[in-house]
Amino acid sequence: PVYLVINDGKVSIKPANHLKGKTVTEKTEKIKNDLSDSDFKVMCIGPGGENLVKYATVMFGGRAAGRCGAGAVMGSKNLLAIVVKGTNKITPAQPEEFKKAVRMTMKVVKENPNTAAFKERGTIGDMPGIDVEGDFPTKNWQSNSWGKGEEIYNYFSHNNLIKNNMCYQGCPIACGRIVQVKNGQYKTPVHEGADYESIAAFTAFVLNEDVDAAVNCTYLCNEYGIDTISAGASIAFAMECYEKDILDQNNVDGLALTWGNA
Ligand code: SF4
């Protein structure tokens, strides 16, 4: 395995045996140490991509290129990370036209009522409404509503949420959330995550009412580099198979795959 370094346009390929099997955070830290420069930006796969999981992600810190298995594509090429640093300026072909387009777009985004809602409550703030409207993926879509969306959101905002966050300085929406699980069985460090789809996948989809467990699951998915939505959906599918006696404990390492069993 290797990783690719692009430093001010100069490309080099580095050996990456020491990164094999490491989580996303571990890879990111080791690469920055290797290069003795914390200014490098690291985009990497986790063990999920290395093992060619069909829904492996490419991770950039806590942000994921999450769907469609791009991480497995990198893994199939033994490419564990792409690391970039640059000092050149980016000059638009038509600077004035570009600025005008940016100003116009920012105005449209800022004036949209959803912008304030996403900033204040994040995408997970939609959960109570989605549950009521009947678009909540419940029990492997055996139902479209659970009746617990508001309860889950309230627990999350009182116990897990620390503050909102933006992917880049200047995003007017800032829908990201910085979260943690402070104590207990599912204690989870401070990280960026817990978007609506991820928490829905590990609560309603599998009938799990333990929000701390759901936050921990999404954190682990990001560290292992697998898509949160597909991971939750896979577990929900397995639980339905278990319910219908298509799977039993012998098939699943002795786990009791009952609904809601965190
Ligand atoms: S760029 Fe802004 S709106 Fe888009 S995901 Fe990041 S924080 Fe949310």
Side-chain angles (χ1 to χ4, degrees), residues 1 3 14-22 30-31 34 80:
Y3 67 96
K14 308 264 186 199
N17 261 322
H18 62 306
L19 302 177
K20 267 179 82 172
K22 303 293 181 203
K30 278 181 182 296
I31 288 169
D34 285 354
L80 303 195

Side-chain angles (χ1 to χ4, degrees), residues 11-38:
V11 178
S12 54
I13 295 173
K14 308 264 186 199
N17 261 322
H18 62 306
L19 302 177
K20 267 179 82 172
K22 303 293 181 203
T23 64
V24 166
T25 299
E26 287 167 346
K27 279 194 179 86
T28 303
E29 284 171 1
K30 278 181 182 296
I31 288 169
K32 289 187 177 191
N33 278 343
D34 285 354
L35 301 173
S36 306
D37 189 341
S38 60

Side-chain angles (χ1 to χ4, degrees), residues 100-120:
K100 213 167 114 191
V102 169
R103 276 197 294 271
M104 189 192 74
T105 308
M106 286 295 251
K107 185 170 181 299
V108 170
V109 172
K110 282 180 179 169
E111 285 174 359
N112 188 305
N114 288 324
T115 296
F118 278 133
K119 184 178 269 182
E120 191 190 326

